[in-house]
Amino acid sequence: MTIRQTTTLLNGPRWFSHSSGPRMSSNPVIRGAAVATSIAAAVAATITVQQTAVGPLHNDPSPSVPALAISGKINPGEKGVVGGDGEELRLLVWGSNRSRIISPDSSDAMQIRTPSVASFLQDVALRDLAVHATHAVCVDGRGDVYQWGDGFFDQKSSSDDRKPVLTLQGKNITRVQVTESRIFALSASGKVYVISSEAAQQKPNLGAVTPSSASWWGTGWFWGGETGIQHFEIEPAQQLAWREKIISIAAGRDHLLALTSSGRTFVHPFSKDANTHGQLGFRKFDIPDPSCSTSTSRLHVELPPRAVADPYAKNTRYARESPSGSPAAALLPVSENLMNLDDRNLKFSDRLFEVPALRGVHVIQIAAGSRSSFVRTDTGSVLG
């Protein structure tokens, strides 16, 4: 499959793989490719892809190109291993290694000032890659997900255990999005999965009750599998049309946007801060009731934007008491039934909700920021 260049609204061009090999295309414009990275300002680490000769970019690996090792450790492959088109796969990295993302084998927080080949990903076919301030995630040619970085591993782990580890397998993942607490993965079939960004939080609680009627148990959660990692499938609250599926996702700091093949836009709030600036496009939604063990019990909650909850917050320099008398309520405008809920739990929210204002609007591109959401329509208009 030949890779195409896409353009995000906020981050510019995005490329999904890389290669170096003989000339395969007559197009003189194609000179190289870069794997886009969502790197926090604190780390300023950059990962790109190199193509030393003009040629097509492939999203799927050749049978002769090694994928990531099933054992969970990276398999750089043998020197000189090339794909079916005579292409060598390289990943170029530079920036700070403070969180051991661009050089997992090194415990030194060194600064790589010039692009260098990442040996731990040499000759590895990648479908997608995303980087956060303290952890990173990638998808190999088989559609399996790997994670690494100091933010992913337990702080007590030794430096020898810092290489990418297999966490989500057998789901045919094509795209990943990374946040501080969660990793979102989109499969080729249009399913959206979420796993924790921390290895310690991915271990299943074997003593927990697993009600078969709950959507996040059974087929949703992965128990006793090859990796033994808890993962959760996020499903649309509104039914999709026949043959309609999710084709793109974009993660902000506290919310996730999803785009379907029919141009519908959905959003998934995964924390109490998901609508502080109105980035959801709605205020009221429902989440699983943590006090009930069945999936039929839902908790109706509300996340009003701060400007709506307290429109005069910045009109005085004196602190005003919250109507409820709770300091937490003054800082975070949420409905009362959300006050004592832990939004760090992956089961805090389990659905994607269609944005009411975008119903009937055919969207072809989505982008999410920490406090905003943007879409591009088929007419070229950008809405946010």
Side-chain angles (χ1 to χ4, degrees):
M1 180 182 297
T2 301
I3 289 295
R4 299 180 302 172
Q5 182 187 14
T6 61
T7 304
T8 62
L9 295 174
L10 300 180
N11 298 326
R14 179 183 179 95
W15 298 83
F16 290 85
S17 186
H18 71 284
S19 61
S20 63
R23 185 181 185 91
M24 297 296 294
S25 173
S26 60
N27 188 348
V29 179
I30 302 179
R31 300 297 183 189
V35 176
T37 59
S38 55
I39 303 170
V43 174
T46 305
I47 301 181
T48 83
V49 182
Q50 181 187 46
Q51 182 184 16
T52 57
V54 178
L57 302 177
H58 299 283
N59 194 24
D60 298 315
S62 168
S64 61
V65 178
L68 299 183
I70 300 301
S71 63
K73 301 301 180 183
I74 210 74
N75 179 14
E78 300 177 0
K79 294 296 183 181
V81 174
V82 295
D85 297 327
E87 299 171 344
E88 293 184 359
L89 302 176
R90 298 176 184 149
L91 191 71
L92 301 184
V93 299
W94 69 89
S96 171
N97 193 45
R98 183 175 59 182
S99 297
R100 283 188 276 188
I101 294 177
I102 61 179
S103 183
D105 294 330
S106 175
S107 60
D108 184 18
M110 57 184 176
Q111 291 282 345
I112 301 177
R113 301 186 180 278
T114 58
S116 304
V117 176
S119 59
F120 72 103
L121 284 174
Q122 180 72 26
D123 292 324
V124 176
L126 296 180
R127 291 184 177 183
D128 200 9
L129 179 145
V131 179
H132 197 263
T134 60
H135 57 94
V137 59
C138 71
V139 185
D140 71 357
R142 297 174 181 173
D144 297 333
V145 176
Y146 288 74
Q147 295 175 250
W148 73 97
D150 285 350
F152 169 71
F153 292 104
D154 188 346
Q155 296 297 327
K156 298 180 181 180
S157 301
S158 64
S159 59
D160 295 337
D161 299 325
R162 298 290 176 165
K163 292 184 178 180
V165 174
L166 175 64
T167 54
L168 186 60
Q169 184 180 4
K171 300 300 180 182
N172 196 16
I173 301 302
T174 59
R175 181 178 175 86
V176 288
Q177 291 285 283
V178 59
T179 69
E180 182 178 358
S181 62
R182 291 165 169 81
I183 302 296
F184 294 95
L186 176 64
S187 72
S189 61
K191 294 183 178 180
V192 179
Y193 299 96
V194 59
I195 57 178
S196 176
S197 62
E198 300 180 14
Q201 301 298 324
Q202 294 179 349
K203 299 177 182 179
N205 184 2
L206 300 180
V209 179
T210 59
S212 58
S213 59
S215 62
W216 54 80
W217 303 101
T219 58
W221 286 96
F222 192 83
W223 294 97
E226 296 182 31
T227 58
I229 297 300
Q230 292 188 19
H231 69 271
F232 169 53
E233 181 183 346
I234 305 172
E235 300 178 349
Q238 292 78 19
Q239 186 177 4
L240 300 183
W242 184 61
R243 301 189 66 178
E244 182 183 15
K245 67 176 184 179
I246 296 175
I247 59 174
S248 179
I249 56 175
R253 185 181 60 190
D254 302 287
H255 71 295
L256 177 78
L257 293 179
L259 178 66
T260 73
S261 54
S262 299
R264 297 166 66 187
T265 306
F266 288 77
V267 64
H268 169 66
F270 57 86
S271 85
K272 298 176 185 179
D273 288 326
N275 202 40
T276 55
H277 294 76
Q279 57 266 48
L280 291 183
F282 53 83
R283 297 165 53 177
K284 298 180 180 181
F285 58 98
D286 59 83
I287 60 175
D289 189 349
S291 63
C292 186
S293 61
T294 63
S295 62
T296 57
S297 179
R298 309 290 298 180
L299 194 64
H300 296 274
V301 299
E302 182 177 3
L303 289 179
R306 289 176 177 173
V308 175
D310 190 1
Y312 305 106
K314 296 184 179 180
N315 287 11
T316 176
R317 57 184 175 180
Y318 300 102
R320 302 194 312 276
E321 293 184 0
S322 170
S324 64
S326 172
L331 298 176
L332 189 63
V334 299
S335 55
E336 187 175 352
N337 54 358
L338 272 176
M339 289 297 179
N340 297 323
L341 294 186
D342 184 8
D343 57 2
R344 295 173 298 178
N345 193 321
L346 291 183
K347 295 178 289 184
F348 169 75
S349 179
D350 63 342
R351 291 180 178 177
L352 289 157
F353 301 92
E354 187 173 8
V355 180
L358 295 177
R359 287 174 182 166
V361 179
H362 191 272
V363 175
I364 61 175
Q365 190 177 6
I366 55 176
S370 60
R371 300 179 177 181
S372 57
S373 299
F374 296 93
V375 299
R376 183 165 64 93
T377 68
D378 55 352
T379 61
S381 300
V382 177
L383 308 176

PDB file of all heavy atoms in Angstrom, residues 48-83:
ATOM      1  N   THR A  48      11.891  11.772  12.817  1.00  0.00           N
ATOM      2  CA  THR A  48      11.506  11.871  11.426  1.00  0.00           C
ATOM      3  C   THR A  48      11.935  10.635  10.679  1.00  0.00           C
ATOM      4  O   THR A  48      12.584   9.761  11.210  1.00  0.00           O
ATOM      5  CB  THR A  48      12.142  13.088  10.734  1.00  0.00           C
ATOM      6  OG1 THR A  48      13.443  12.744  10.337  1.00  0.00           O
ATOM      7  CG2 THR A  48      12.168  14.292  11.613  1.00  0.00           C
ATOM      8  N   VAL A  49      11.585  10.630   9.397  1.00  0.00           N
ATOM      9  CA  VAL A  49      11.899   9.527   8.522  1.00  0.00           C
ATOM     10  C   VAL A  49      12.769  10.008   7.388  1.00  0.00           C
ATOM     11  O   VAL A  49      12.622  11.122   6.950  1.00  0.00           O
ATOM     12  CB  VAL A  49      10.613   8.957   7.944  1.00  0.00           C
ATOM     13  CG1 VAL A  49      10.907   7.801   7.076  1.00  0.00           C
ATOM     14  CG2 VAL A  49       9.681   8.608   9.052  1.00  0.00           C
ATOM     15  N   GLN A  50      13.663   9.152   6.917  1.00  0.00           N
ATOM     16  CA  GLN A  50      14.591   9.537   5.876  1.00  0.00           C
ATOM     17  C   GLN A  50      14.343   8.736   4.627  1.00  0.00           C
ATOM     18  O   GLN A  50      14.102   7.536   4.685  1.00  0.00           O
ATOM     19  CB  GLN A  50      16.033   9.316   6.346  1.00  0.00           C
ATOM     20  CG  GLN A  50      17.080   9.725   5.304  1.00  0.00           C
ATOM     21  CD  GLN A  50      18.464   9.330   5.733  1.00  0.00           C
ATOM     22  OE1 GLN A  50      18.662   8.212   6.179  1.00  0.00           O
ATOM     23  NE2 GLN A  50      19.407  10.223   5.590  1.00  0.00           N
ATOM     24  N   GLN A  51      14.419   9.387   3.463  1.00  0.00           N
ATOM     25  CA  GLN A  51      14.347   8.718   2.183  1.00  0.00           C
ATOM     26  C   GLN A  51      15.445   9.299   1.326  1.00  0.00           C
ATOM     27  O   GLN A  51      15.387  10.435   0.900  1.00  0.00           O
ATOM     28  CB  GLN A  51      12.975   8.929   1.534  1.00  0.00           C
ATOM     29  CG  GLN A  51      12.834   8.217   0.209  1.00  0.00           C
ATOM     30  CD  GLN A  51      11.513   8.514  -0.438  1.00  0.00           C
ATOM     31  OE1 GLN A  51      10.842   9.454  -0.043  1.00  0.00           O
ATOM     32  NE2 GLN A  51      11.127   7.745  -1.423  1.00  0.00           N
ATOM     33  N   THR A  52      16.485   8.517   1.078  1.00  0.00           N
ATOM     34  CA  THR A  52      17.649   9.044   0.385  1.00  0.00           C
ATOM     35  C   THR A  52      17.486   9.049  -1.119  1.00  0.00           C
ATOM     36  O   THR A  52      18.259   9.667  -1.817  1.00  0.00           O
ATOM     37  CB  THR A  52      18.885   8.221   0.750  1.00  0.00           C
ATOM     38  OG1 THR A  52      18.640   6.844   0.412  1.00  0.00           O
ATOM     39  CG2 THR A  52      19.164   8.307   2.240  1.00  0.00           C
ATOM     40  N   ALA A  53      16.490   8.335  -1.635  1.00  0.00           N
ATOM     41  CA  ALA A  53      16.219   8.344  -3.057  1.00  0.00           C
ATOM     42  C   ALA A  53      14.716   8.415  -3.260  1.00  0.00           C
ATOM     43  O   ALA A  53      13.949   7.985  -2.423  1.00  0.00           O
ATOM     44  CB  ALA A  53      16.784   7.096  -3.734  1.00  0.00           C
ATOM     45  N   VAL A  54      14.326   8.962  -4.393  1.00  0.00           N
ATOM     46  CA  VAL A  54      12.904   9.108  -4.654  1.00  0.00           C
ATOM     47  C   VAL A  54      12.287   7.736  -4.851  1.00  0.00           C
ATOM     48  O   VAL A  54      12.800   6.909  -5.587  1.00  0.00           O
ATOM     49  CB  VAL A  54      12.673   9.981  -5.901  1.00  0.00           C
ATOM     50  CG1 VAL A  54      11.186  10.085  -6.201  1.00  0.00           C
ATOM     51  CG2 VAL A  54      13.289  11.351  -5.700  1.00  0.00           C
ATOM     52  N   GLY A  55      11.150   7.487  -4.228  1.00  0.00           N
ATOM     53  CA  GLY A  55      10.484   6.202  -4.359  1.00  0.00           C
ATOM     54  C   GLY A  55       9.174   6.214  -3.610  1.00  0.00           C
ATOM     55  O   GLY A  55       8.880   7.134  -2.859  1.00  0.00           O
ATOM     56  N   PRO A  56       8.351   5.198  -3.807  1.00  0.00           N
ATOM     57  CA  PRO A  56       7.057   5.156  -3.111  1.00  0.00           C
ATOM     58  C   PRO A  56       7.225   4.821  -1.652  1.00  0.00           C
ATOM     59  O   PRO A  56       8.177   4.142  -1.268  1.00  0.00           O
ATOM     60  CB  PRO A  56       6.307   4.039  -3.853  1.00  0.00           C
ATOM     61  CG  PRO A  56       7.404   3.134  -4.319  1.00  0.00           C
ATOM     62  CD  PRO A  56       8.549   4.038  -4.659  1.00  0.00           C
ATOM     63  N   LEU A  57       6.311   5.281  -0.819  1.00  0.00           N
ATOM     64  CA  LEU A  57       6.323   4.991   0.596  1.00  0.00           C
ATOM     65  C   LEU A  57       5.258   3.960   0.887  1.00  0.00           C
ATOM     66  O   LEU A  57       4.121   4.093   0.458  1.00  0.00           O
ATOM     67  CB  LEU A  57       6.051   6.268   1.408  1.00  0.00           C
ATOM     68  CG  LEU A  57       7.033   7.396   1.156  1.00  0.00           C
ATOM     69  CD1 LEU A  57       6.618   8.614   1.951  1.00  0.00           C
ATOM     70  CD2 LEU A  57       8.431   6.972   1.516  1.00  0.00           C
ATOM     71  N   HIS A  58       5.611   2.920   1.636  1.00  0.00           N
ATOM     72  CA  HIS A  58       4.701   1.818   1.879  1.00  0.00           C
ATOM     73  C   HIS A  58       4.268   1.778   3.330  1.00  0.00           C
ATOM     74  O   HIS A  58       5.073   1.892   4.234  1.00  0.00           O
ATOM     75  CB  HIS A  58       5.361   0.479   1.500  1.00  0.00           C
ATOM     76  CG  HIS A  58       5.743   0.411   0.045  1.00  0.00           C
ATOM     77  ND1 HIS A  58       4.821   0.197  -0.947  1.00  0.00           N
ATOM     78  CD2 HIS A  58       6.951   0.548  -0.579  1.00  0.00           C
ATOM     79  CE1 HIS A  58       5.444   0.189  -2.131  1.00  0.00           C
ATOM     80  NE2 HIS A  58       6.720   0.408  -1.922  1.00  0.00           N
ATOM     81  N   ASN A  59       2.972   1.601   3.537  1.00  0.00           N
ATOM     82  CA  ASN A  59       2.415   1.549   4.879  1.00  0.00           C
ATOM     83  C   ASN A  59       2.515   0.159   5.476  1.00  0.00           C
ATOM     84  O   ASN A  59       2.525  -0.005   6.678  1.00  0.00           O
ATOM     85  CB  ASN A  59       0.947   1.984   4.849  1.00  0.00           C
ATOM     86  CG  ASN A  59       0.409   2.276   6.211  1.00  0.00           C
ATOM     87  OD1 ASN A  59       1.170   2.585   7.105  1.00  0.00           O
ATOM     88  ND2 ASN A  59      -0.886   2.174   6.383  1.00  0.00           N
ATOM     89  N   ASP A  60       2.566  -0.863   4.651  1.00  0.00           N
ATOM     90  CA  ASP A  60       2.647  -2.234   5.115  1.00  0.00           C
ATOM     91  C   ASP A  60       4.016  -2.804   4.805  1.00  0.00           C
ATOM     92  O   ASP A  60       4.618  -2.487   3.782  1.00  0.00           O
ATOM     93  CB  ASP A  60       1.572  -3.102   4.441  1.00  0.00           C
ATOM     94  CG  ASP A  60       0.183  -2.618   4.785  1.00  0.00           C
ATOM     95  OD1 ASP A  60      -0.043  -2.345   5.974  1.00  0.00           O
ATOM     96  OD2 ASP A  60      -0.650  -2.502   3.872  1.00  0.00           O
ATOM     97  N   PRO A  61       4.561  -3.663   5.664  1.00  0.00           N
ATOM     98  CA  PRO A  61       5.911  -4.157   5.477  1.00  0.00           C
ATOM     99  C   PRO A  61       5.985  -5.222   4.412  1.00  0.00           C
ATOM    100  O   PRO A  61       5.033  -5.956   4.165  1.00  0.00           O
ATOM    101  CB  PRO A  61       6.249  -4.742   6.849  1.00  0.00           C
ATOM    102  CG  PRO A  61       4.932  -5.234   7.340  1.00  0.00           C
ATOM    103  CD  PRO A  61       3.923  -4.240   6.840  1.00  0.00           C
ATOM    104  N   SER A  62       7.138  -5.302   3.774  1.00  0.00           N
ATOM    105  CA  SER A  62       7.402  -6.429   2.895  1.00  0.00           C
ATOM    106  C   SER A  62       7.649  -7.663   3.752  1.00  0.00           C
ATOM    107  O   SER A  62       8.115  -7.565   4.888  1.00  0.00           O
ATOM    108  CB  SER A  62       8.642  -6.134   2.042  1.00  0.00           C
ATOM    109  OG  SER A  62       9.075  -7.301   1.382  1.00  0.00           O
ATOM    110  N   PRO A  63       7.346  -8.880   3.259  1.00  0.00           N
ATOM    111  CA  PRO A  63       7.591 -10.085   4.064  1.00  0.00           C
ATOM    112  C   PRO A  63       9.032 -10.229   4.519  1.00  0.00           C
ATOM    113  O   PRO A  63       9.323 -10.867   5.513  1.00  0.00           O
ATOM    114  CB  PRO A  63       7.178 -11.215   3.112  1.00  0.00           C
ATOM    115  CG  PRO A  63       6.197 -10.575   2.182  1.00  0.00           C
ATOM    116  CD  PRO A  63       6.673  -9.162   2.006  1.00  0.00           C
ATOM    117  N   SER A  64       9.968  -9.606   3.779  1.00  0.00           N
ATOM    118  CA  SER A  64      11.379  -9.727   4.149  1.00  0.00           C
ATOM    119  C   SER A  64      11.818  -8.697   5.153  1.00  0.00           C
ATOM    120  O   SER A  64      12.944  -8.720   5.633  1.00  0.00           O
ATOM    121  CB  SER A  64      12.258  -9.608   2.896  1.00  0.00           C
ATOM    122  OG  SER A  64      12.063  -8.339   2.284  1.00  0.00           O
ATOM    123  N   VAL A  65      10.930  -7.726   5.484  1.00  0.00           N
ATOM    124  CA  VAL A  65      11.275  -6.691   6.459  1.00  0.00           C
ATOM    125  C   VAL A  65      10.761  -7.107   7.829  1.00  0.00           C
ATOM    126  O   VAL A  65       9.577  -7.365   7.991  1.00  0.00           O
ATOM    127  CB  VAL A  65      10.667  -5.337   6.062  1.00  0.00           C
ATOM    128  CG1 VAL A  65      10.979  -4.289   7.107  1.00  0.00           C
ATOM    129  CG2 VAL A  65      11.209  -4.912   4.708  1.00  0.00           C
ATOM    130  N   PRO A  66      11.637  -7.211   8.845  1.00  0.00           N
ATOM    131  CA  PRO A  66      11.172  -7.674  10.155  1.00  0.00           C
ATOM    132  C   PRO A  66      10.255  -6.672  10.822  1.00  0.00           C
ATOM    133  O   PRO A  66      10.484  -5.479  10.771  1.00  0.00           O
ATOM    134  CB  PRO A  66      12.481  -7.832  10.946  1.00  0.00           C
ATOM    135  CG  PRO A  66      13.415  -6.863  10.308  1.00  0.00           C
ATOM    136  CD  PRO A  66      13.057  -6.851   8.838  1.00  0.00           C
ATOM    137  N   ALA A  67       9.193  -7.167  11.428  1.00  0.00           N
ATOM    138  CA  ALA A  67       8.335  -6.330  12.263  1.00  0.00           C
ATOM    139  C   ALA A  67       8.884  -6.352  13.676  1.00  0.00           C
ATOM    140  O   ALA A  67       9.898  -6.995  13.962  1.00  0.00           O
ATOM    141  CB  ALA A  67       6.904  -6.850  12.225  1.00  0.00           C
ATOM    142  N   LEU A  68       8.237  -5.652  14.599  1.00  0.00           N
ATOM    143  CA  LEU A  68       8.691  -5.643  15.971  1.00  0.00           C
ATOM    144  C   LEU A  68       8.575  -7.037  16.561  1.00  0.00           C
ATOM    145  O   LEU A  68       7.646  -7.784  16.270  1.00  0.00           O
ATOM    146  CB  LEU A  68       7.858  -4.663  16.794  1.00  0.00           C
ATOM    147  CG  LEU A  68       7.928  -3.206  16.342  1.00  0.00           C
ATOM    148  CD1 LEU A  68       7.134  -2.348  17.288  1.00  0.00           C
ATOM    149  CD2 LEU A  68       9.346  -2.729  16.257  1.00  0.00           C
ATOM    150  N   ALA A  69       9.508  -7.394  17.407  1.00  0.00           N
ATOM    151  CA  ALA A  69       9.533  -8.736  17.962  1.00  0.00           C
ATOM    152  C   ALA A  69       8.310  -9.002  18.817  1.00  0.00           C
ATOM    153  O   ALA A  69       7.890  -8.163  19.594  1.00  0.00           O
ATOM    154  CB  ALA A  69      10.802  -8.926  18.793  1.00  0.00           C
ATOM    155  N   ILE A  70       7.727 -10.174  18.695  1.00  0.00           N
ATOM    156  CA  ILE A  70       6.540 -10.525  19.458  1.00  0.00           C
ATOM    157  C   ILE A  70       6.858 -10.624  20.943  1.00  0.00           C
ATOM    158  O   ILE A  70       5.994 -10.514  21.786  1.00  0.00           O
ATOM    159  CB  ILE A  70       5.967 -11.861  18.935  1.00  0.00           C
ATOM    160  CG1 ILE A  70       5.587 -11.715  17.463  1.00  0.00           C
ATOM    161  CG2 ILE A  70       4.756 -12.292  19.725  1.00  0.00           C
ATOM    162  CD1 ILE A  70       4.583 -10.642  17.205  1.00  0.00           C
ATOM    163  N   SER A  71       8.115 -10.818  21.289  1.00  0.00           N
ATOM    164  CA  SER A  71       8.493 -10.935  22.688  1.00  0.00           C
ATOM    165  C   SER A  71       8.271  -9.643  23.447  1.00  0.00           C
ATOM    166  O   SER A  71       8.272  -9.629  24.668  1.00  0.00           O
ATOM    167  CB  SER A  71       9.971 -11.330  22.799  1.00  0.00           C
ATOM    168  OG  SER A  71      10.792 -10.320  22.237  1.00  0.00           O
ATOM    169  N   GLY A  72       8.081  -8.558  22.724  1.00  0.00           N
ATOM    170  CA  GLY A  72       7.869  -7.280  23.376  1.00  0.00           C
ATOM    171  C   GLY A  72       9.080  -6.389  23.312  1.00  0.00           C
ATOM    172  O   GLY A  72       8.994  -5.210  23.559  1.00  0.00           O
ATOM    173  N   LYS A  73      10.229  -6.918  22.965  1.00  0.00           N
ATOM    174  CA  LYS A  73      11.423  -6.118  22.801  1.00  0.00           C
ATOM    175  C   LYS A  73      11.619  -5.821  21.320  1.00  0.00           C
ATOM    176  O   LYS A  73      11.252  -6.596  20.448  1.00  0.00           O
ATOM    177  CB  LYS A  73      12.652  -6.855  23.352  1.00  0.00           C
ATOM    178  CG  LYS A  73      12.521  -7.196  24.839  1.00  0.00           C
ATOM    179  CD  LYS A  73      12.326  -5.978  25.697  1.00  0.00           C
ATOM    180  CE  LYS A  73      12.208  -6.334  27.166  1.00  0.00           C
ATOM    181  NZ  LYS A  73      11.955  -5.164  28.008  1.00  0.00           N
ATOM    182  N   ILE A  74      12.249  -4.689  21.055  1.00  0.00           N
ATOM    183  CA  ILE A  74      12.422  -4.288  19.678  1.00  0.00           C
ATOM    184  C   ILE A  74      13.395  -5.226  18.985  1.00  0.00           C
ATOM    185  O   ILE A  74      14.343  -5.722  19.575  1.00  0.00           O
ATOM    186  CB  ILE A  74      12.930  -2.835  19.626  1.00  0.00           C
ATOM    187  CG1 ILE A  74      12.448  -2.156  18.351  1.00  0.00           C
ATOM    188  CG2 ILE A  74      14.423  -2.756  19.716  1.00  0.00           C
ATOM    189  CD1 ILE A  74      11.016  -1.816  18.374  1.00  0.00           C
ATOM    190  N   ASN A  75      13.130  -5.506  17.735  1.00  0.00           N
ATOM    191  CA  ASN A  75      14.030  -6.338  16.948  1.00  0.00           C
ATOM    192  C   ASN A  75      14.545  -5.511  15.791  1.00  0.00           C
ATOM    193  O   ASN A  75      13.840  -5.307  14.800  1.00  0.00           O
ATOM    194  CB  ASN A  75      13.294  -7.572  16.420  1.00  0.00           C
ATOM    195  CG  ASN A  75      14.186  -8.459  15.561  1.00  0.00           C
ATOM    196  OD1 ASN A  75      15.395  -8.306  15.573  1.00  0.00           O
ATOM    197  ND2 ASN A  75      13.568  -9.375  14.823  1.00  0.00           N
ATOM    198  N   PRO A  76      15.780  -4.983  15.901  1.00  0.00           N
ATOM    199  CA  PRO A  76      16.274  -4.095  14.862  1.00  0.00           C
ATOM    200  C   PRO A  76      16.512  -4.791  13.537  1.00  0.00           C
ATOM    201  O   PRO A  76      16.626  -4.147  12.509  1.00  0.00           O
ATOM    202  CB  PRO A  76      17.584  -3.553  15.456  1.00  0.00           C
ATOM    203  CG  PRO A  76      18.014  -4.594  16.413  1.00  0.00           C
ATOM    204  CD  PRO A  76      16.762  -5.196  16.974  1.00  0.00           C
ATOM    205  N   GLY A  77      16.584  -6.115  13.536  1.00  0.00           N
ATOM    206  CA  GLY A  77      16.836  -6.829  12.298  1.00  0.00           C
ATOM    207  C   GLY A  77      18.306  -6.854  11.948  1.00  0.00           C
ATOM    208  O   GLY A  77      19.141  -6.232  12.581  1.00  0.00           O
ATOM    209  N   GLU A  78      18.641  -7.586  10.916  1.00  0.00           N
ATOM    210  CA  GLU A  78      20.028  -7.707  10.497  1.00  0.00           C
ATOM    211  C   GLU A  78      20.427  -6.505   9.664  1.00  0.00           C
ATOM    212  O   GLU A  78      19.612  -5.881   8.995  1.00  0.00           O
ATOM    213  CB  GLU A  78      20.208  -8.992   9.691  1.00  0.00           C
ATOM    214  CG  GLU A  78      19.864 -10.254  10.475  1.00  0.00           C
ATOM    215  CD  GLU A  78      19.993 -11.498   9.627  1.00  0.00           C
ATOM    216  OE1 GLU A  78      20.354 -11.342   8.443  1.00  0.00           O
ATOM    217  OE2 GLU A  78      19.746 -12.596  10.139  1.00  0.00           O
ATOM    218  N   LYS A  79      21.715  -6.199   9.696  1.00  0.00           N
ATOM    219  CA  LYS A  79      22.213  -5.084   8.916  1.00  0.00           C
ATOM    220  C   LYS A  79      22.021  -5.370   7.430  1.00  0.00           C
ATOM    221  O   LYS A  79      22.261  -6.477   6.966  1.00  0.00           O
ATOM    222  CB  LYS A  79      23.695  -4.848   9.212  1.00  0.00           C
ATOM    223  CG  LYS A  79      23.968  -4.395  10.633  1.00  0.00           C
ATOM    224  CD  LYS A  79      23.349  -3.041  10.903  1.00  0.00           C
ATOM    225  CE  LYS A  79      23.682  -2.556  12.302  1.00  0.00           C
ATOM    226  NZ  LYS A  79      23.074  -1.257  12.573  1.00  0.00           N
ATOM    227  N   GLY A  80      21.577  -4.365   6.714  1.00  0.00           N
ATOM    228  CA  GLY A  80      21.424  -4.533   5.283  1.00  0.00           C
ATOM    229  C   GLY A  80      20.126  -5.173   4.862  1.00  0.00           C
ATOM    230  O   GLY A  80      19.925  -5.418   3.678  1.00  0.00           O
ATOM    231  N   VAL A  81      19.231  -5.472   5.818  1.00  0.00           N
ATOM    232  CA  VAL A  81      17.942  -6.041   5.452  1.00  0.00           C
ATOM    233  C   VAL A  81      17.139  -4.999   4.693  1.00  0.00           C
ATOM    234  O   VAL A  81      17.018  -3.856   5.121  1.00  0.00           O
ATOM    235  CB  VAL A  81      17.170  -6.496   6.709  1.00  0.00           C
ATOM    236  CG1 VAL A  81      15.775  -6.955   6.329  1.00  0.00           C
ATOM    237  CG2 VAL A  81      17.916  -7.626   7.381  1.00  0.00           C
ATOM    238  N   VAL A  82      16.604  -5.380   3.572  1.00  0.00           N
ATOM    239  CA  VAL A  82      15.861  -4.443   2.738  1.00  0.00           C
ATOM    240  C   VAL A  82      14.514  -5.024   2.406  1.00  0.00           C
ATOM    241  O   VAL A  82      14.273  -6.219   2.555  1.00  0.00           O
ATOM    242  CB  VAL A  82      16.622  -4.121   1.425  1.00  0.00           C
ATOM    243  CG1 VAL A  82      17.915  -3.400   1.732  1.00  0.00           C
ATOM    244  CG2 VAL A  82      16.890  -5.398   0.632  1.00  0.00           C
ATOM    245  N   GLY A  83      13.604  -4.161   1.953  1.00  0.00           N
ATOM    246  CA  GLY A  83      12.286  -4.602   1.567  1.00  0.00           C
ATOM    247  C   GLY A  83      12.271  -5.155   0.161  1.00  0.00           C
ATOM    248  O   GLY A  83      13.294  -5.266  -0.516  1.00  0.00           O
TER     249      GLY A  83
END
